[in-house]
Amino acid sequence: MMDTKVALVTGASRGIGKACALKLAECGYDIAVNYASNDEKARETVAEIEKLGRKAAAFKADTADLKAVQDMFREIQKTFGQLDVLVNNAGVVDDAFLLMINEDSLSRSLDINIKGYFHCAQAAALKMMSKKRGKIINVSSVSSILAVEGQGVYSATKGAVNSMTATLAKELAPRGITVNAIAPGFIETEMMDAIPEDKKADYIKAIPLGRFGAAREVAEAVAAMCSPAFDYVTGQVVVLDGGLSL
Ligand code: NAP
């Protein structure tokens, strides 16, 4: 019997998450597509995965909400029966200089970008432990290692993602589960829409490869991290930023 693998990609209705979902489907995975609110876009992702000949289903759940995440994992178990890969990707950015940081936005960023990753990692590890096999990929950001004005909150959340990656890697290694992170630089998705054009031109000048990255390029790296090439790698942060952080 063929050993079909199942991946959950959070925030897979758009952007990097959608690209990861499609790439992993191309690699033979069935895909659980998580999203927050955009039903139409989530349906499109599912349809595109099905066109690739893989099984897919959409799960609307706010990853910041523990109960919603636990319910989602129960539904994923009913639909797919297993889980081999978690791509913790659902995240938000709301840039503000220190004195302009708003309490609601601060809480929301911490809840989604940090607590959401823990909620999903915890539920996924519980599933993976029984098989003594699994891979967790946390989508971090180059902002975790590079100071960008206005990104105090965002960079703090992504720094937390890097530290949790190392700690969880150590905790879960005896259970056969690897945990790694990928830290993209500027990737062309809707998340970059808020950046003014003149700022974008400045950023491009600072990137040695001279261009922004594509979501597809992040997805290729995530797929490599899910492949046997990364079986002996755990607790690492792979930076994919066109050289920006050098
Ligand atoms: P995006 O285009 O804004 O897409 C965000 C995705 O996350 C959407 O699918 C959205 O669902 C989902 N989402 C947001 N909050 C959620 C929640 N609470 N629960 C479940 N799903 C939620 O973002 P992106 O650019 O692809 O970014 C994806 C990840 O990459 C983030 O973690 C981000 O920090 C990281 N990253 C991005 C860049 C970049 O330049 N784009 C660079 C470095 C790191 P709905 O469609 O339903 O709203």
Side-chain angles (χ1 to χ4, degrees):
M1 199 175 83
M2 213 181 109
D3 182 21
T4 300
K5 289 188 178 176
V6 177
L8 162 63
V9 184
T10 67
S13 50
R14 297 182 276 124
I16 290 171
K18 177 176 182 177
C20 290
L22 292 175
K23 180 65 202 174
L24 289 175
E26 277 175 29
C27 295
Y29 284 81
D30 288 342
I31 311 287
V33 172
N34 160 261
Y35 68 108
S37 59
N38 206 326
D39 303 321
E40 186 56 40
K41 292 279 179 198
R43 269 198 295 272
E44 281 172 25
T45 304
V46 167
E48 287 179 47
I49 293 166
E50 287 171 345
K51 261 197 202 148
L52 294 167
R54 303 309 325 172
K55 180 171 169 178
F59 300 89
K60 185 177 193 164
D62 177 352
T63 53
D65 178 342
L66 177 60
K67 178 159 184 320
V69 168
Q70 289 170 339
D71 290 346
M72 171 174 74
F73 273 79
R74 259 191 298 279
E75 290 304 312
I76 290 172
Q77 181 64 26
K78 275 192 220 156
T79 308
F80 294 99
Q82 67 186 82
L83 185 70
D84 302 278
V85 164
L86 163 67
V87 182
N88 244 338
N89 164 80
V92 289
V93 66
D94 189 7
D95 289 354
F97 286 94
L98 177 64
L99 300 188
M100 303 297 285
I101 293 169
N102 153 302
E103 179 64 12
D104 288 344
S105 162
L106 174 60
S107 296
R108 193 80 190 124
S109 292
L110 300 179
D111 284 352
I112 298 172
N113 294 4
I114 302 179
K115 282 173 70 179
Y117 277 39
F118 275 105
H119 293 157
C120 294
Q122 197 174 44
L126 209 61
K127 289 265 162 281
M128 292 168 178
M129 275 174 183
S130 57
K131 282 172 92 178
K132 275 199 140 252
R133 187 181 83 179
K135 293 189 186 234
I136 298 175
I137 314 291
N138 292 323
V139 180
S140 177
S141 165
V142 74
S143 299
S144 63
I145 53 167
L146 185 74
V148 179
E149 290 123 315
Q151 292 211 321
V153 174
Y154 183 69
S155 65
T157 65
K158 294 302 186 178
V161 168
N162 294 358
S163 347
M164 80 178 270
T165 297
T167 307
L168 300 192
K170 219 165 178 179
E171 287 181 13
L172 296 176
R175 311 297 189 127
I177 302 166
T178 62
V179 187
N180 289 292
I182 184 157
F186 291 103
I187 306 298
E188 288 186 288
T189 69
E190 286 171 34
M191 190 173 264
M192 281 187 56
D193 287 353
I195 304 175
E197 289 305 316
D198 57 328
K199 266 269 172 222
K200 282 187 186 172
D202 287 346
Y203 288 143
I204 286 182
K205 279 189 215 141
I207 299 171
L209 284 181
R211 63 175 177 84
F212 294 137
R216 176 83 191 176
E217 293 176 295
V218 182
E220 294 281 352
V222 167
M225 293 164 82
C226 294
S227 79
F230 266 67
D231 279 356
Y232 197 57
V233 179
T234 197
Q236 303 305 306
V237 180
V238 173
V239 179
L240 186 141
D241 68 349
L244 175 66
S245 57
L246 297 174

